[in-house]
Amino acid sequence: MLNKTINFMRWRKPFYAIALLFSLFSIGSLAVKQLNFGLEFTGGALVELNYSEPVELESIRQTLHGAGWGDAIVQNFGSTSDVIIRLASEDPELGNQIARLIQREDAEQDVTIKRVEFIGPQVGEELRDQGGLGMLLALAGIMLYVALRFQLKFAVAGLVALLHDAIFTLGLLSFFGVPFDLTVLAALLAAVGYSLNDTIVVFDRIRENLRLMRTSDLTHVINVSTTQTLARTLATSVSTILVLMSLLMVGGESLQGFAITLIIGVVIGTYSSIYVANGLLINLKLTREDLIPKQLEEVDDRP
Amino acid sequence: MLNRYPLWKYLLIVAVLALGLVYATPNLYPDDPAIQISGISSTQTIQQSDLARIERALNDAGIATKGVELSANASSGLVRLTELGDQLPAQDIVRRVLGNEFVVAQNLAATTPDWLLNIGAGPMKLGLDLAGGVHFLLEVDMEKAIEARINVYDSELRTLFRNERIRYRSLPKQGNVLQFGFTESADLSAAQRQLASKYNEFQVTSTRRDNMDVLRLTLTDAKMTEIREYSVRQNLTTVRNRVNELGVAEPLVQRQGANRIVVELPGVQDTAEAKRILGKTANLEFRLAAEPNAPRATIETFEFRDGMNRPAADVERSIILTGDQVTDAQSNFDENGQPQVNIRLDGHGGELMTRATRNNVGRGMAVLFIEQREVPSTVMQEVDGVMQEVSAPTFVEEKTIISLATIQSTLGNQFRITGLGSPAEASELALLLRAGGLAAPMYFAEERTIGPSLGAENIANGVAATQLGFILAMLFMVVVYRGFGFLASIALSFNLVLLLALMSLLGATLTLPGIAGIVLTLGMAIDANVLIFARVREELAAGSSAQRAIHEGFDKAFSAILDSNLTTLLVGVILFAMGSGPIKGFAVTLSLGIVTSLFSAILVTRALINLFLGGRTSRTLSKLWL
């Protein structure tokens, strides 16, 4: 099975088109639907309640409406007896006020307050800036590392692939309205790290094969390298998705966004490291000389 | 060729594994729910008899206890309970038994055996999302800090000018700029001389206006920075003291950024109480009582604090010193058994106090308590091009007198207030004096409360996800890579033990995203083994002998493993550097997980393979192995 080289690069152009399409779709979704920023980024109040039995969200909405908090978002959180209430506000006491109101109104119902959070608007804004900055820093650091360990062309190709991954993952998160909180941001960065992992393993093989194989046909070298690493790429992706699935299934509501983001990221990262990153190496006209430092020719000037 | 490790490598791996097991063990001992008791002041001790009394009372109320402990210097005691649900009723009972001279708090007590504690082993700390508790982010109002300091300078300068017989005209402050007018040029130059010699923190400019010379005093940028820095540090100390008054076990009080303070109180559920004590954006002012014939412009009238039942009193406008110069205040009894409050000031405060009281023995001195109360209000603001009403809470200052006493002698940096009505009044005054040490008001920028049930649920979910993830990863490896996969799975469990040990040893905090990080590392740790095994298969397919293939597989996969792990580590470090709270937890487990997985996937797997297969001389490898 290892002797047969799959001609991955034959479908390079159609995959470029798909990647471009996905990116445009993502940018569109980000522009129109935007990210469903969580409390940490928007600021406001949040109350999580646990009822002893399933509860009508509408009645909670009515209660809140009656108290003048009509624009509160009331949602189930994990199960029908868990409820989360979110409200934009700049009043630190609001969460506790809502909690007290609910407990008073639903006195006959057994309700426990699981958590109350308040985040000031300025903190949210700063976190958003910091998150974006962290993302850029991570990308810059990675690019620098790849440029030093490999070569600039690898770094550029890897970076474009990573940008594509990040944008596409963000686009899907925005399209499906997954709440974007700090944990999801961490997952996004981890997904970028994962995708880079994949890319680097193939790059490493390309570098090795460029030195070993006596051919200057880059497309062929990339095809061989991708084929050789395919078993590994798939094995790692499957094992990572398996553990993420366990996180998604039994890890609880708070980690769902994290698990979903990483699963999306891993899937995207797998195909982008094959098509976007490797394909770009061809477009950037990588040559053997890029990797093997030119020997200084000894000038023999004896007569 | 044969694949053999020298003996020392095996010994090293066994030693690391043994150490890992020992240091991961404390996590197997669950914490006991407990009640912690400490004295309100640091000098108070707890007697063994108190603890015995508490235990009896608890047992009478049907609450089972596991034991009582006294700390080494008898400053705090611990009552271990068997049921988490008993904590709240137990706390009430203990409070009733001990009275209000003690701080009674809920706590979780570690049950790590002594022999483990003796070698520095202990369980991982749990983050708030797992332990339950409250998290506050307080923001220090820097503008108020500078304003308050300028007011003190204002009083100081007026006193200085008066003492030096420099005639000046009071002019209103312009923002943070102090202004003094002089009609005589001799006074002007005398004032300039005084300022130049004693107050180099001011930039002084002089202008001529309304037939007089006006000196405008602006604080230098360096001094402003110093005040800001000082305010945050002073507030940090005060918050720490206040948190200690709450008696929470293992609280976290930390500075974050230029002007914020993080407070995390694990186990605390009563946020109202915590906020009341932390959020007191209070300050103090010491002022002289007004003399009977003083002009109205130089005095102010204030009410006494609620419950003191004394008529409002007149005090001078000028401030002797403010509460941030109070370093300590304790209530106790004087030689005649009367309640008193002992106050200690910092060096500068002591000087100011001496200067102010030297010539004023026999006059009254008032202590004003200043609280910032939030008043909800709105302002019109343009948001995205539309005029909107935006809520902008304003703060009103409320000043009340908490003490008005006669100065008996010149006071230094230690003095006492006597003539207090009752011991309770004395301890209340001491508490207010201590609490008033804020250099600037603070506001709550962030607040989270995580209930204990949610914490327990998060732990249960996290453990379940880790177990399931581990089993799935193991199954996958055995199915795909057979015998080698099985050996890699053993290395993977080794990896988990090492990761837990390392986290416990470093005192890292485990959070829910941290657990997610552990699960993720399980998936990614396999990657190194997958890389190696895929490479070994390639070598075998290319016709290498079994031993050669194993050797080459490990060798050739190494650079890819190193590069890919280092870049992921880079992401982990960046997350750690920029992240807060939960993200940091994720970054820690991710980064440490990479380090331990490199060790286990490369060294341990190799050692296991060498042990089982390294000595075989057959050229081929059974399909059962790979």
Side-chain angles (χ1 to χ4, degrees), chain A residues 5 21 32 66 68-69 93 113 139 144 163 192 194 206 221-223 251 257-258 263 266 269 287 298:
Chain A
T5 301
L21 212 66
V32 177
W69 295 311
E93 265 306 304
I113 311 287
L139 289 176
L144 191 70
L163 274 177
V192 166
Y194 177 87
I206 293 173
V221 171
I222 290 178
N223 279 331
F258 178 90
I263 291 174
V266 167
T287 58
E298 229 174 278

PDB file of all heavy atoms in Angstrom, chain A residues 5 21 32 66 68-69 93 113 139 144 163 192 194 206 221-223 251 257-258 263 266 269 287 298:
ATOM      1  N   THR A   5       1.708   5.700  -4.865  1.00  0.00           N
ATOM      2  CA  THR A   5       1.608   7.099  -4.493  1.00  0.00           C
ATOM      3  C   THR A   5       0.281   7.675  -4.974  1.00  0.00           C
ATOM      4  O   THR A   5      -0.096   7.497  -6.129  1.00  0.00           O
ATOM      5  CB  THR A   5       2.768   7.891  -5.118  1.00  0.00           C
ATOM      6  OG1 THR A   5       3.980   7.328  -4.652  1.00  0.00           O
ATOM      7  CG2 THR A   5       2.689   9.343  -4.741  1.00  0.00           C
ATOM      8  N   LEU A  21     -13.810  29.406  -1.243  1.00  0.00           N
ATOM      9  CA  LEU A  21     -15.255  29.509  -1.066  1.00  0.00           C
ATOM     10  C   LEU A  21     -15.604  29.465   0.424  1.00  0.00           C
ATOM     11  O   LEU A  21     -16.381  30.281   0.924  1.00  0.00           O
ATOM     12  CB  LEU A  21     -15.924  28.336  -1.791  1.00  0.00           C
ATOM     13  CG  LEU A  21     -17.300  28.609  -2.376  1.00  0.00           C
ATOM     14  CD1 LEU A  21     -17.205  29.631  -3.501  1.00  0.00           C
ATOM     15  CD2 LEU A  21     -17.916  27.306  -2.883  1.00  0.00           C
ATOM     16  N   VAL A  32     -22.160  39.017   8.809  1.00  0.00           N
ATOM     17  CA  VAL A  32     -23.613  39.128   8.925  1.00  0.00           C
ATOM     18  C   VAL A  32     -24.112  38.638  10.286  1.00  0.00           C
ATOM     19  O   VAL A  32     -24.768  39.365  11.023  1.00  0.00           O
ATOM     20  CB  VAL A  32     -24.307  38.330   7.794  1.00  0.00           C
ATOM     21  CG1 VAL A  32     -25.819  38.390   7.956  1.00  0.00           C
ATOM     22  CG2 VAL A  32     -23.878  38.881   6.447  1.00  0.00           C
ATOM     23  N   GLY A  66     -41.926  40.940  34.103  1.00  0.00           N
ATOM     24  CA  GLY A  66     -42.683  41.675  35.112  1.00  0.00           C
ATOM     25  C   GLY A  66     -41.781  42.549  35.967  1.00  0.00           C
ATOM     26  O   GLY A  66     -42.196  43.601  36.454  1.00  0.00           O
ATOM     27  N   GLY A  68     -39.147  44.018  34.885  1.00  0.00           N
ATOM     28  CA  GLY A  68     -38.480  45.019  34.076  1.00  0.00           C
ATOM     29  C   GLY A  68     -37.228  44.524  33.381  1.00  0.00           C
ATOM     30  O   GLY A  68     -36.454  45.298  32.823  1.00  0.00           O
ATOM     31  N   TRP A  69     -36.983  43.217  33.420  1.00  0.00           N
ATOM     32  CA  TRP A  69     -35.826  42.665  32.720  1.00  0.00           C
ATOM     33  C   TRP A  69     -36.307  41.894  31.499  1.00  0.00           C
ATOM     34  O   TRP A  69     -36.016  40.706  31.331  1.00  0.00           O
ATOM     35  CB  TRP A  69     -35.015  41.760  33.655  1.00  0.00           C
ATOM     36  CG  TRP A  69     -34.402  42.503  34.791  1.00  0.00           C
ATOM     37  CD1 TRP A  69     -33.694  43.647  34.721  1.00  0.00           C
ATOM     38  CD2 TRP A  69     -34.442  42.153  36.179  1.00  0.00           C
ATOM     39  NE1 TRP A  69     -33.296  44.049  35.960  1.00  0.00           N
ATOM     40  CE2 TRP A  69     -33.733  43.146  36.884  1.00  0.00           C
ATOM     41  CE3 TRP A  69     -34.996  41.097  36.893  1.00  0.00           C
ATOM     42  CZ2 TRP A  69     -33.577  43.121  38.259  1.00  0.00           C
ATOM     43  CZ3 TRP A  69     -34.840  41.068  38.267  1.00  0.00           C
ATOM     44  CH2 TRP A  69     -34.148  42.076  38.941  1.00  0.00           C
ATOM     45  N   GLU A  93     -24.749  44.097  40.804  1.00  0.00           N
ATOM     46  CA  GLU A  93     -25.673  43.439  41.710  1.00  0.00           C
ATOM     47  C   GLU A  93     -26.787  42.696  40.983  1.00  0.00           C
ATOM     48  O   GLU A  93     -27.549  41.937  41.572  1.00  0.00           O
ATOM     49  CB  GLU A  93     -26.295  44.475  42.658  1.00  0.00           C
ATOM     50  CG  GLU A  93     -25.574  44.575  43.987  1.00  0.00           C
ATOM     51  CD  GLU A  93     -25.458  43.226  44.672  1.00  0.00           C
ATOM     52  OE1 GLU A  93     -26.498  42.587  44.881  1.00  0.00           O
ATOM     53  OE2 GLU A  93     -24.330  42.799  44.958  1.00  0.00           O
ATOM     54  N   ILE A 113     -29.513  27.954  42.916  1.00  0.00           N
ATOM     55  CA  ILE A 113     -28.695  28.832  42.093  1.00  0.00           C
ATOM     56  C   ILE A 113     -27.341  28.145  41.931  1.00  0.00           C
ATOM     57  O   ILE A 113     -26.639  27.922  42.902  1.00  0.00           O
ATOM     58  CB  ILE A 113     -28.476  30.190  42.793  1.00  0.00           C
ATOM     59  CG1 ILE A 113     -29.791  30.756  43.297  1.00  0.00           C
ATOM     60  CG2 ILE A 113     -27.732  31.143  41.894  1.00  0.00           C
ATOM     61  CD1 ILE A 113     -30.709  31.290  42.275  1.00  0.00           C
ATOM     62  N   LEU A 139       0.212  33.087  15.932  1.00  0.00           N
ATOM     63  CA  LEU A 139       0.517  32.892  14.515  1.00  0.00           C
ATOM     64  C   LEU A 139       1.915  33.395  14.182  1.00  0.00           C
ATOM     65  O   LEU A 139       2.683  32.736  13.485  1.00  0.00           O
ATOM     66  CB  LEU A 139      -0.526  33.607  13.653  1.00  0.00           C
ATOM     67  CG  LEU A 139      -1.926  32.970  13.661  1.00  0.00           C
ATOM     68  CD1 LEU A 139      -2.902  33.812  12.868  1.00  0.00           C
ATOM     69  CD2 LEU A 139      -1.884  31.561  13.114  1.00  0.00           C
ATOM     70  N   LEU A 144       7.556  32.303  12.821  1.00  0.00           N
ATOM     71  CA  LEU A 144       8.976  32.515  13.070  1.00  0.00           C
ATOM     72  C   LEU A 144       9.678  31.174  13.284  1.00  0.00           C
ATOM     73  O   LEU A 144      10.744  30.904  12.722  1.00  0.00           O
ATOM     74  CB  LEU A 144       9.135  33.397  14.319  1.00  0.00           C
ATOM     75  CG  LEU A 144      10.533  33.934  14.557  1.00  0.00           C
ATOM     76  CD1 LEU A 144      10.876  34.965  13.503  1.00  0.00           C
ATOM     77  CD2 LEU A 144      10.661  34.528  15.941  1.00  0.00           C
ATOM     78  N   LEU A 163      -4.323  30.464   8.852  1.00  0.00           N
ATOM     79  CA  LEU A 163      -5.310  31.544   8.755  1.00  0.00           C
ATOM     80  C   LEU A 163      -6.625  30.988   8.224  1.00  0.00           C
ATOM     81  O   LEU A 163      -7.705  31.301   8.734  1.00  0.00           O
ATOM     82  CB  LEU A 163      -4.793  32.651   7.828  1.00  0.00           C
ATOM     83  CG  LEU A 163      -3.915  33.697   8.495  1.00  0.00           C
ATOM     84  CD1 LEU A 163      -3.402  34.687   7.457  1.00  0.00           C
ATOM     85  CD2 LEU A 163      -4.691  34.444   9.575  1.00  0.00           C
ATOM     86  N   VAL A 192      -5.605  25.504  16.141  1.00  0.00           N
ATOM     87  CA  VAL A 192      -4.552  26.043  15.285  1.00  0.00           C
ATOM     88  C   VAL A 192      -3.253  25.278  15.534  1.00  0.00           C
ATOM     89  O   VAL A 192      -2.554  24.876  14.601  1.00  0.00           O
ATOM     90  CB  VAL A 192      -4.366  27.554  15.554  1.00  0.00           C
ATOM     91  CG1 VAL A 192      -3.087  28.059  14.944  1.00  0.00           C
ATOM     92  CG2 VAL A 192      -5.546  28.333  15.004  1.00  0.00           C
ATOM     93  N   TYR A 194      -2.995  22.274  16.634  1.00  0.00           N
ATOM     94  CA  TYR A 194      -3.147  20.917  16.125  1.00  0.00           C
ATOM     95  C   TYR A 194      -2.919  20.870  14.617  1.00  0.00           C
ATOM     96  O   TYR A 194      -2.176  20.024  14.098  1.00  0.00           O
ATOM     97  CB  TYR A 194      -4.546  20.384  16.451  1.00  0.00           C
ATOM     98  CG  TYR A 194      -4.759  19.007  15.872  1.00  0.00           C
ATOM     99  CD1 TYR A 194      -4.383  17.882  16.575  1.00  0.00           C
ATOM    100  CD2 TYR A 194      -5.270  18.854  14.587  1.00  0.00           C
ATOM    101  CE1 TYR A 194      -4.528  16.631  16.041  1.00  0.00           C
ATOM    102  CE2 TYR A 194      -5.417  17.602  14.029  1.00  0.00           C
ATOM    103  CZ  TYR A 194      -5.043  16.493  14.757  1.00  0.00           C
ATOM    104  OH  TYR A 194      -5.172  15.255  14.216  1.00  0.00           O
ATOM    105  N   ILE A 206       8.455  16.215   3.581  1.00  0.00           N
ATOM    106  CA  ILE A 206       8.810  16.820   2.297  1.00  0.00           C
ATOM    107  C   ILE A 206      10.287  17.227   2.299  1.00  0.00           C
ATOM    108  O   ILE A 206      11.047  16.968   1.363  1.00  0.00           O
ATOM    109  CB  ILE A 206       7.924  18.051   1.998  1.00  0.00           C
ATOM    110  CG1 ILE A 206       6.478  17.602   1.785  1.00  0.00           C
ATOM    111  CG2 ILE A 206       8.434  18.823   0.779  1.00  0.00           C
ATOM    112  CD1 ILE A 206       5.492  18.744   1.654  1.00  0.00           C
ATOM    113  N   VAL A 221       7.321  14.897  -5.222  1.00  0.00           N
ATOM    114  CA  VAL A 221       7.833  14.772  -3.850  1.00  0.00           C
ATOM    115  C   VAL A 221       6.712  14.998  -2.847  1.00  0.00           C
ATOM    116  O   VAL A 221       6.557  14.252  -1.878  1.00  0.00           O
ATOM    117  CB  VAL A 221       8.982  15.781  -3.607  1.00  0.00           C
ATOM    118  CG1 VAL A 221       9.365  15.806  -2.137  1.00  0.00           C
ATOM    119  CG2 VAL A 221      10.179  15.421  -4.468  1.00  0.00           C
ATOM    120  N   ILE A 222       5.898  16.011  -3.115  1.00  0.00           N
ATOM    121  CA  ILE A 222       4.801  16.309  -2.179  1.00  0.00           C
ATOM    122  C   ILE A 222       3.800  15.166  -2.159  1.00  0.00           C
ATOM    123  O   ILE A 222       3.332  14.742  -1.090  1.00  0.00           O
ATOM    124  CB  ILE A 222       4.121  17.639  -2.555  1.00  0.00           C
ATOM    125  CG1 ILE A 222       5.081  18.800  -2.254  1.00  0.00           C
ATOM    126  CG2 ILE A 222       2.819  17.824  -1.788  1.00  0.00           C
ATOM    127  CD1 ILE A 222       4.548  20.146  -2.613  1.00  0.00           C
ATOM    128  N   ASN A 223       3.481  14.637  -3.345  1.00  0.00           N
ATOM    129  CA  ASN A 223       2.549  13.513  -3.401  1.00  0.00           C
ATOM    130  C   ASN A 223       3.071  12.322  -2.617  1.00  0.00           C
ATOM    131  O   ASN A 223       2.336  11.704  -1.845  1.00  0.00           O
ATOM    132  CB  ASN A 223       2.294  13.106  -4.854  1.00  0.00           C
ATOM    133  CG  ASN A 223       1.254  14.009  -5.506  1.00  0.00           C
ATOM    134  OD1 ASN A 223       0.380  14.537  -4.817  1.00  0.00           O
ATOM    135  ND2 ASN A 223       1.370  14.203  -6.804  1.00  0.00           N
ATOM    136  N   GLY A 251     -18.520  15.231  28.985  1.00  0.00           N
ATOM    137  CA  GLY A 251     -17.770  16.297  29.648  1.00  0.00           C
ATOM    138  C   GLY A 251     -18.621  17.406  30.237  1.00  0.00           C
ATOM    139  O   GLY A 251     -18.120  18.291  30.895  1.00  0.00           O
ATOM    140  N   GLY A 257     -18.802  23.667  23.924  1.00  0.00           N
ATOM    141  CA  GLY A 257     -18.275  24.597  22.929  1.00  0.00           C
ATOM    142  C   GLY A 257     -16.822  24.285  22.618  1.00  0.00           C
ATOM    143  O   GLY A 257     -16.387  24.291  21.462  1.00  0.00           O
ATOM    144  N   PHE A 258     -16.077  23.967  23.677  1.00  0.00           N
ATOM    145  CA  PHE A 258     -14.665  23.614  23.538  1.00  0.00           C
ATOM    146  C   PHE A 258     -14.513  22.403  22.627  1.00  0.00           C
ATOM    147  O   PHE A 258     -13.734  22.418  21.662  1.00  0.00           O
ATOM    148  CB  PHE A 258     -14.110  23.304  24.936  1.00  0.00           C
ATOM    149  CG  PHE A 258     -12.673  22.879  24.965  1.00  0.00           C
ATOM    150  CD1 PHE A 258     -11.665  23.819  25.102  1.00  0.00           C
ATOM    151  CD2 PHE A 258     -12.326  21.537  24.868  1.00  0.00           C
ATOM    152  CE1 PHE A 258     -10.347  23.427  25.139  1.00  0.00           C
ATOM    153  CE2 PHE A 258     -11.008  21.147  24.908  1.00  0.00           C
ATOM    154  CZ  PHE A 258     -10.020  22.093  25.043  1.00  0.00           C
ATOM    155  N   ILE A 263     -13.233  19.776  17.425  1.00  0.00           N
ATOM    156  CA  ILE A 263     -13.574  18.763  16.421  1.00  0.00           C
ATOM    157  C   ILE A 263     -13.601  19.415  15.032  1.00  0.00           C
ATOM    158  O   ILE A 263     -12.992  18.912  14.086  1.00  0.00           O
ATOM    159  CB  ILE A 263     -14.930  18.096  16.750  1.00  0.00           C
ATOM    160  CG1 ILE A 263     -14.769  17.236  18.003  1.00  0.00           C
ATOM    161  CG2 ILE A 263     -15.403  17.238  15.582  1.00  0.00           C
ATOM    162  CD1 ILE A 263     -16.052  16.632  18.520  1.00  0.00           C
ATOM    163  N   VAL A 266     -10.033  20.181  14.026  1.00  0.00           N
ATOM    164  CA  VAL A 266      -9.221  19.025  13.648  1.00  0.00           C
ATOM    165  C   VAL A 266      -9.564  18.577  12.221  1.00  0.00           C
ATOM    166  O   VAL A 266      -8.683  18.305  11.404  1.00  0.00           O
ATOM    167  CB  VAL A 266      -9.418  17.865  14.654  1.00  0.00           C
ATOM    168  CG1 VAL A 266      -8.835  16.571  14.108  1.00  0.00           C
ATOM    169  CG2 VAL A 266      -8.768  18.213  15.982  1.00  0.00           C
ATOM    170  N   GLY A 269      -8.293  21.205   9.888  1.00  0.00           N
ATOM    171  CA  GLY A 269      -6.834  21.184   9.901  1.00  0.00           C
ATOM    172  C   GLY A 269      -6.266  20.029   9.088  1.00  0.00           C
ATOM    173  O   GLY A 269      -5.236  20.164   8.422  1.00  0.00           O
ATOM    174  N   THR A 287      12.222  24.815  -3.992  1.00  0.00           N
ATOM    175  CA  THR A 287      13.215  24.007  -4.694  1.00  0.00           C
ATOM    176  C   THR A 287      14.124  23.333  -3.680  1.00  0.00           C
ATOM    177  O   THR A 287      14.100  23.661  -2.496  1.00  0.00           O
ATOM    178  CB  THR A 287      14.083  24.867  -5.620  1.00  0.00           C
ATOM    179  OG1 THR A 287      14.704  25.875  -4.805  1.00  0.00           O
ATOM    180  CG2 THR A 287      13.264  25.520  -6.711  1.00  0.00           C
ATOM    181  N   GLU A 298      34.854  26.569  -4.244  1.00  0.00           N
ATOM    182  CA  GLU A 298      36.247  26.945  -4.047  1.00  0.00           C
ATOM    183  C   GLU A 298      36.806  27.442  -5.381  1.00  0.00           C
ATOM    184  O   GLU A 298      36.663  26.780  -6.405  1.00  0.00           O
ATOM    185  CB  GLU A 298      37.047  25.728  -3.597  1.00  0.00           C
ATOM    186  CG  GLU A 298      37.895  26.042  -2.382  1.00  0.00           C
ATOM    187  CD  GLU A 298      38.550  24.786  -1.875  1.00  0.00           C
ATOM    188  OE1 GLU A 298      37.889  24.026  -1.137  1.00  0.00           O
ATOM    189  OE2 GLU A 298      39.704  24.576  -2.245  1.00  0.00           O
TER     190      GLU A 298
END
